[in-house]
Amino acid sequence: MKLNLAKQNKSYKILKIEYNMPLISNRLRDLGIVELATITVIREGKNNACLIILVNERLVAVSNEIASKIEVTLNGNGNE
Amino acid sequence: MVTAMNNLYKVLIAGQPNSGKTTVYNGLTGSNEKVGNWHGVTTASASKMAKIMGKNYLITDTPGAYSLNPVTLEETEAVNKILNERGIIVYVIEAKTLPSAIKTVSSLLNSGKKIIIAVNMVKEFISSGGKINFSALKNFLNCPVIHGEFNTIKGINEIKKAINSYVYRKPQINEKLLEKVSNYYTFSTYKQTLLDKITLNKITAIPFFILAVAVTFYIAFGRYGIGVPLSNLLSQGFSLLNDKLTVILTNANVSKFVLNLVTNGVVGALTGVACFLPQTASLYLALAILEQSGYASRLAYLSEGLFKRGGLSGRAIFSIFMGFGCTSVSILSSGGLENISARKKSALISGLIPCSAKIPVIAYLSSFSKNPFLFTICIYLVGVLVVLFQLFIISKKVLNKPTVPLLIELPPYRIPNPRIVLKSLLTDAKGFIIKICTVIFVISLTASLLSSVTPTLKYANTFDNSILYYIGKVFSFITVPMGVNDARLSASIIAGFFAKEGVLSSLLSVSFNGSVFTTASLFAYTIFVFLYSPCIVALYTVAVEIGKSFAIKLSILQLVEGLIISYYSYAIIKYTAITITVTLFIITVIILIKFIKRKKI
């Protein structure tokens, strides 16, 4: 599933990032949002422009536009 | 080894955003550079000489950069400095982001850079369960590693010792051991604070946001806040001074010209500045608290939805906020936005925001209406419509480069340090007084002078004989379609080009009482003053920060918008039925033309 549809207070593993804009790709990497990283959704993206995730003890606001290009799976449970 | 040029050593303070670089810079140099718990506070490098243990150093602060791959304009500046400048780099790292920062540090060490790693905010990290093995880290990197709280004297002294005793060692980085983070680092446990539960919650986030904005504005502009009572106090003080000076100068038999110059000119100009300086300073204070606390990033997150529809990102909220203080400051703080297109879009709005110079002008003009409160609301509503027009039509159609979507770190909430808040306020207020108030003062004084002197350079007994009156007469055609033909009003518009406060100062200097206005003409004139071109100081800032061509276009756009809307406002209030009929006719014709074009396709 895509990150913009992820549920609040659940942990996910990032499977694939399909965002092509180099500036954003670099920034995602800088913030630790990379493939195989574990993230927790603090505030979900549904009905909002952004969602908030916890990654490497960092709180990061991610626009839904970016989140819709990140494929994730529920952490430890395989595919959702 | 340090770079020595005539016994001058160079030190560069670098690191990720919000790691404490500027705090370290201020500590080493004794400066008062702006510090905040918000990414994008430092938008340009600053340099200062400092003596550390008997040696002279040139210390340079840089904007934060997450890595050596810059995203924003100020990150590009920081990375260029890091890669190209020689000297020691004090790389400041926030303890909880150490693993991500280490990759950048090891790249720099491998390229031969001289690095001192300064790990900051260690106490906070340890108290949430984190651990760092500093000896192991030092061994893996083979470079000096210091740690502590660098907002304290003890912390700064540690850095000074490290700089002074720095000895270059060839990098011998143990990449394998460094890759496995657990060899030197244990992550802390995230606990959502109560404040974050309130400020990020689905239900309470927006009410809290509105409350924060309302409190910010109340502190600056509320009757029982800080700005307005101080402003009233200053105005009363200057009024007393004016009375005393009038008595003294009259008794001294000075000429009417000198009396007028001192009382209406100098003291009048000071009174004009005193009207909005406390309010702007209070706005700076409120914003400094928001910055220091960490709420500023949350504001960006909450604003993203609304701003995105207009082609901006939530990051623009801060620069928009600053526009309520001063348009120039708003343009300067848009340096934290992603690219020039974003800055242009932000500038389109900044020029329309009622800055602290415009607010007293609007308040003064609305005092001539029968219901000042309702009058002011209507003015601001029209202003909001124009902002929306510029945001959704001009910004999207003309500046149609897609905005970089929001991706921003939300730093932890921190209790604002009163010392740092006060320093931040004093820095901002000082910059504002030097840059803006001096210009306002000169413009007001000039307006007073021009209203006291005839074209033949003699004392003008009445305003009708003055230079300003004749200048106003030349441009009075501007105000005729607004329903007024008074040279004082057109002259004040000219003064307003130099500083918005000039509109108020020039009308006060000629004891204008508003008797020439009807409801329609008052509304039209006020709307024009509200909307027309930004002042010269703001335009100059736009020209320097964004480009001369854009500054000229912005000036013309707002002038034309102001004229069209003010003329239309007059027509609709004065000739309501005819104006509405004509407007509906024009809209119908436009719709018909579009319909016919679609049919043809």
Side-chain angles (χ1 to χ4, degrees), chain A residues 16 27-28 32 36 40 43 49 51 55 57-58 61 63 65:
Chain A
K16 198 177 178 186
R27 181 49 53 82
L28 285 169
L36 303 180
T40 306
R43 185 154 174 203
L51 66 157
V55 55
E57 308 314 310
R58 269 190 162 121
S63 162
E65 187 186 325

Side-chain angles (χ1 to χ4, degrees), chain B residues 107-128:
Chain B
S107 303
L108 290 171
L109 282 167
N110 277 331
S111 65
K113 291 290 178 185
K114 305 166 189 87
I115 312 264
I116 295 171
I117 296 175
V119 184
N120 197 9
M121 300 180 230
V122 178
K123 261 190 202 161
E124 190 181 273
F125 176 69
I126 289 172
S127 66
S128 23

Side-chain angles (χ1 to χ4, degrees), chain A residues 30-31 55-58, chain B residues 16-19 66 91-103 119-120 125 132 184-185 187-188 409:
Chain A
D30 293 339
L31 292 170
V55 55
N56 290 341
E57 308 314 310
R58 269 190 162 121
Chain B
Q16 293 188 348
N18 213 42
S19 56
Y66 280 104
Y91 201 89
V92 185
I93 302 176
E94 190 186 353
K96 72 171 192 187
T97 63
L98 184 64
S100 65
I102 283 297
K103 290 169 202 168
V119 184
N120 197 9
F125 176 69
I132 303 176
Y184 63 91
Y185 188 86
F187 285 93
S188 59
E409 186 179 345

Side-chain angles (χ1 to χ4, degrees), chain B residues 139-195:
Chain B
N139 290 335
F140 297 157
L141 292 168
N142 197 31
C143 79
V145 176
I146 53 174
H147 59 93
E149 311 304 312
F150 299 131
N151 59 351
T152 62
I153 295 170
K154 187 183 173 190
I156 293 297
N157 285 339
E158 290 293 315
I159 296 178
K160 283 181 181 177
K161 274 186 219 161
I163 291 170
N164 201 49
S165 59
Y166 181 84
V167 174
Y168 178 71
R169 279 179 284 193
K170 200 174 171 187
Q172 286 171 346
I173 298 168
N174 197 326
E175 299 280 7
K176 271 192 180 166
L177 289 171
L178 207 58
E179 247 173 50
K180 199 177 170 195
V181 172
S182 57
N183 282 332
Y184 63 91
Y185 188 86
T186 305
F187 285 93
S188 59
T189 314
Y190 172 74
K191 272 186 197 155
Q192 195 174 32
T193 59
L194 178 64
L195 259 177

